[in-house]
Amino acid sequence: MAGDQGAARSPLIGVLSLQGDVREHLAALAAAGAAPTTVRRPDELAAVEGLVIPGGESTTMSKLAVLFGMLEPLRERVRAGMPVYGTCAGLILLAEKILDPRSGQETVGGIDMIVRRNAFGRQNESFEAAVEVAGVGPGPVDGVFIRAPWVESVGAGVEVLAEHGGHVVAVRQGNALATSFHPELTGDHRLHGFFTQMVRSAR
Ligand code: GLN
């Protein structure tokens, strides 16, 4: 039946391609069974079932989002319930509030949390650690932290999925998922699989 075929179809998941590690997310999504595509313009955003906001530099990404006329369309789709997954800089973009924003730094919002940028130290303090993430087990994921933010505080509706060193590094609020670390840089695609499942469930 046509309907059944529709349900079986790989979800079309975009990767916001303004800046950051887009290619790695496209590959991880494909490995997790999604149909990935790049998203730069509002019409491309309108076509996808879910969106990944990659790691990179959150101030640059937010300025490019304004320049490309993407900030409001992103806010609207996230508010309307489109599944979205942000890694590192992407986590910062999903925060309702940044503790230490650069001037002119905007966010998309979607997760009721306050984040601290570069909380784990600067580039030369990047590191890897085993992180237990609720719902993606069994076993920890290899967390790659690069100038990573952490979540300073969360609102009542936010589920904490993982902590590292006493700090929150993975959260979910309804349709929005975010991690401080970069699963797209490892061979472990469980978080992309988890997100792909979120997109399927939202159909
Ligand atoms: N520190 C960066 C920022 O503020 C994020 C780093 C990353 O995405 N790897 O955007």
Side-chain angles (χ1 to χ4, degrees), residues 55-59 87-89 92 117-118 146-149 182:
E57 213 292 311
S58 55
T59 314
T87 61
C88 201
I92 297 171
R117 297 177 56 238
N118 302 317
I146 304 168
R147 285 174 298 126
H182 293 265

Side-chain angles (χ1 to χ4, degrees), residues 102-154:
R102 296 249 214 103
S103 77
Q105 183 166 11
E106 302 268 6
T107 72
V108 172
I111 302 182
D112 181 13
M113 63 178 171
I114 301 175
V115 301
R116 184 184 288 276
R117 297 177 56 238
N118 302 317
F120 284 108
R122 309 223 45 106
Q123 188 79 58
N124 58 358
E125 291 162 271
S126 298
F127 61 95
E128 289 185 42
V131 181
E132 291 284 350
V133 183
V136 308
V141 304
D142 178 18
V144 177
F145 293 82
I146 304 168
R147 285 174 298 126
W150 68 48
V151 179
E152 193 80 21
S153 64
V154 296

Side-chain angles (χ1 to χ4, degrees), residues 157-180:
V158 179
E159 220 181 315
V160 171
L161 301 182
E163 294 189 14
H164 177 72
H167 302 288
V168 174
V169 294
V171 291
R172 178 179 179 180
Q173 182 170 23
N175 58 308
L177 174 71
T179 60
S180 296

